[in-house]
């Protein structure tokens, strides 16, 4: 019986080392100009199907990269920042495949994760060293609830090969404190707690600050509505300070890891807001070491998986853009969202800082 496989499933099989007979069908896609953008010459067949596209430096049509070409390209960088659409199965699959391909080309890597917070680094280290099991990692390490399906493959790949894993993110509670009271609240932290947030925090001016403020004004998760009163503007500025503390902490964590492991390259995973357009964490890496060669992968949920398109503006968000199948809508027009919004706002109100002035006195 003849064996058939989808184009990008075949490519993934090649990266995983499947036999040539299984992986040999198909060839990398290409794009054609359509309106103000470019359209892939084949559909995204299912949720795992994907395409990696990069702009042509000479100004021609974008290039669609095979997994092998992608890994060859990215292996030339000091740090690869893989922005993700959280909980997107297709993104997580490609993160694992890329990690495997990069390590095959050079075993000297570090895996850095937004998904673990800096204060649990000892737990992560204990797990990697075999001193505790996965139950301790997920509970004491406060792993995300999708750890088993999304991040376990990467951590296990690193553990078996003794690749360092960095818990890069600032603790949520510390970010909440900064977001509510500004960076001055850090003076109330203990010395140990202060070390869980980057020593140097940089103000978010320019494009990143504008982007965050625009997002905050429009997102239900941030209360919705533009901030116009002095009180609302102060609240927004403090929220931005909390966001920047996350970026600075992830950047510092990566720098410290490279200092502890000289000569190693880094694959870092974070939500794509932290790295799209080479902003956020990427900016803060460059502030700490301008000589770093950093690549960014930015995911793009296409509007129509049957006719996936990308624009020049999309391509500017990363060294490579990953076209991915769109997530299903959380709600449809006219659906009652009041219960969901109320629950979300209740959770936000419950996130109080233990060092709030009215609490700490």
């Amino acid at each position: 019986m003849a064996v058939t496989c989808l184009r990008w499933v075949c490519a993934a099989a090649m990266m995983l080392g499947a036999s040539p007979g299984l992986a040999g069908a198909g060839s990398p896609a290409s794009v054609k100009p359509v309106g103000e953008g470019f359209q892939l010459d084949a559909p995204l067949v299912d949720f795992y199907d994907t395409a990696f596209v990069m702009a042509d430096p000479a100004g021609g049509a974008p290039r669609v990269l095979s997994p092998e070409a992608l890994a060859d390209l990215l292996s030339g960088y000091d740090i690869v920042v893989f922005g993700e659409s959280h909980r997107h199965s297709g993104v997580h699959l490609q993160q694992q495949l890329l990690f495997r391909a990069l390590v095959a080309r050079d075993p000297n890597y570090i895996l850095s994760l937004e998904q673990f917070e800096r204060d649990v680094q000892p737990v992560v280290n204990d797990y990697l060293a075999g001193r505790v099991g996965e139950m301790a990692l997920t509970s004491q390490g406060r792993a995300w609830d999708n750890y088993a399906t999304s991040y376990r493959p990467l951590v296990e790949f690193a553990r078996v090969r003794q690749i360092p894993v960095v818990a890069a993110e600032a603790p949520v509670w510390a970010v909440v404190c900064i977001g509510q009271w500004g960076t001055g609240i850090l003076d109330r932290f203990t010395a140990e707690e202060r070390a869980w947030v980057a020593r140097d925090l940089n103000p978010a001016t320019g494009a990143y600050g504008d982007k965050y403020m625009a997002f905050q004004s429009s997102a239900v998760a941030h209360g919705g509505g533009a901030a116009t009163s002095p009180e609302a503007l102060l609240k927004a500025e403090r929220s931005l300070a909390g966001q920047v503390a996350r970026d600075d902490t992830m950047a510092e964590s990566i720098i410290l890891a490279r200092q502890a492991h000289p000569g190693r390259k880094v694959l870092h995973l974070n939500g794509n807001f932290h790295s799209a357009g080479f902003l956020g964490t990427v900016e803060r890496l460059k502030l700490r070491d301008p000589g770093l060669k950093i690549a960014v992968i930015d995911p793009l949920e296409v509007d129509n998986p049957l006719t996936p398109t990308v624009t020049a503006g999309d391509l500017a968000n990363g060294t490579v853009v990953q076209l991915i199948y769109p997530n299903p809508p959380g709600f449809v027009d006219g659906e009652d969202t009041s219960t969901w919004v109320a629950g979300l706002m209740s959770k936000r109100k419950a996130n109080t800082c233990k060092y709030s002035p009215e609490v700490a006195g």
Side-chain angles (χ1 to χ4, degrees):
M1 179 183 296
V3 177
T4 60
C5 61
L6 303 178
R7 179 186 68 255
W8 290 100
V9 173
C10 289
M14 291 179 70
M15 188 178 287
L16 286 170
S19 67
L22 176 63
S27 59
S30 60
V31 297
K32 60 182 180 182
V34 175
E36 297 181 356
F38 301 88
Q39 181 180 311
L40 203 67
D41 68 356
L44 297 183
V45 180
D46 61 25
F47 211 77
Y48 288 102
D49 202 3
T50 196
F52 291 97
V53 186
M54 67 179 296
D56 179 4
R63 177 187 172 198
V64 181
L65 300 175
S66 69
E68 293 77 15
L70 175 69
D72 287 342
L73 171 72
L74 297 181
S75 64
Y77 286 82
D78 301 315
I79 299 171
V80 176
V81 180
F82 202 137
E84 68 177 42
S85 175
H86 292 319
R87 302 177 185 275
H88 192 291
S89 306
V91 172
H92 295 307
L93 171 62
Q94 295 303 323
Q95 288 171 335
Q96 171 62 22
L97 296 176
L98 177 63
F99 189 31
R100 179 170 182 172
L102 291 174
V103 171
R105 285 158 174 77
D106 183 349
N108 295 310
Y109 265 87
I110 296 166
L111 176 63
S112 173
L113 299 171
E114 174 197 3
Q115 294 77 16
F116 283 103
E117 296 165 14
R118 209 182 221 184
D119 61 310
V120 304
Q121 185 69 62
V123 180
V124 173
N125 292 345
D126 284 344
Y127 178 70
L128 296 174
R131 291 187 288 268
V132 299
E134 192 180 65
M135 289 297 293
L137 177 69
T138 56
S139 59
Q140 299 172 32
R142 302 192 303 277
W144 289 14
D145 60 7
N146 63 329
Y147 171 80
T149 55
S150 302
Y151 307 108
R152 175 194 277 161
L154 292 120
V155 172
E156 289 307 295
F157 185 82
R159 180 181 65 82
V160 170
R161 289 158 183 80
Q162 298 184 320
I163 294 172
V165 178
V166 176
E169 174 69 293
V172 168
W173 70 264
V175 174
V176 168
C177 284
I178 297 169
Q180 291 178 352
W181 298 102
T183 55
I185 199 69
L186 291 168
D187 294 338
R188 294 176 177 262
F189 285 24
T190 67
E192 181 183 33
E193 291 169 345
R194 182 62 187 85
W196 297 335
V197 180
R199 182 189 65 185
D200 299 319
L201 299 178
N202 300 282
T205 57
Y208 190 63
D210 294 342
K211 177 183 174 182
Y212 183 81
M213 289 300 192
F215 168 76
Q216 186 187 56
S217 296
S218 61
V220 173
H222 292 274
T228 54
S229 68
E231 294 80 8
L233 286 171
L234 177 60
K235 182 178 180 181
E237 289 170 358
R238 287 175 171 174
S239 178
L240 175 58
Q243 173 76 4
V244 171
R246 299 177 65 196
D247 293 310
D248 271 315
T249 301
M250 286 191 282
E252 183 185 79
S253 297
I254 293 168
I255 295 294
L256 292 175
R258 280 175 51 85
Q259 292 173 354
H261 303 280
R264 286 186 178 255
K265 299 175 182 179
V266 179
L267 174 64
H268 173 69
L269 274 55
N270 59 217
N272 73 307
F273 195 96
H274 293 285
S275 52
F278 304 88
L279 302 174
T281 301
V282 181
E283 285 182 304
R284 279 139 186 81
L285 279 165
K286 284 289 192 178
L287 285 172
R288 289 167 169 81
D289 187 347
L292 284 172
K293 189 177 181 183
I294 306 172
V296 172
I297 301 175
D298 192 62
L300 173 66
E301 293 186 25
V302 299
D303 293 330
N304 186 345
L306 299 180
T307 56
T309 58
V310 61
T311 68
D314 298 326
L315 291 170
N317 280 327
T319 311
V320 178
V321 171
Q322 181 189 6
L323 304 188
I324 57 176
Y325 210 88
N327 274 303
F331 299 98
V332 298
D333 290 344
E335 187 175 358
D336 182 9
T337 63
S338 58
T339 300
W340 178 81
V341 171
L344 185 63
M345 298 307 293
S346 177
K347 289 180 180 179
R348 288 191 65 211
K349 291 178 181 178
N351 286 332
T352 58
C353 175
K354 65 180 179 180
Y355 290 119
S356 297
E358 65 262 26
V359 174

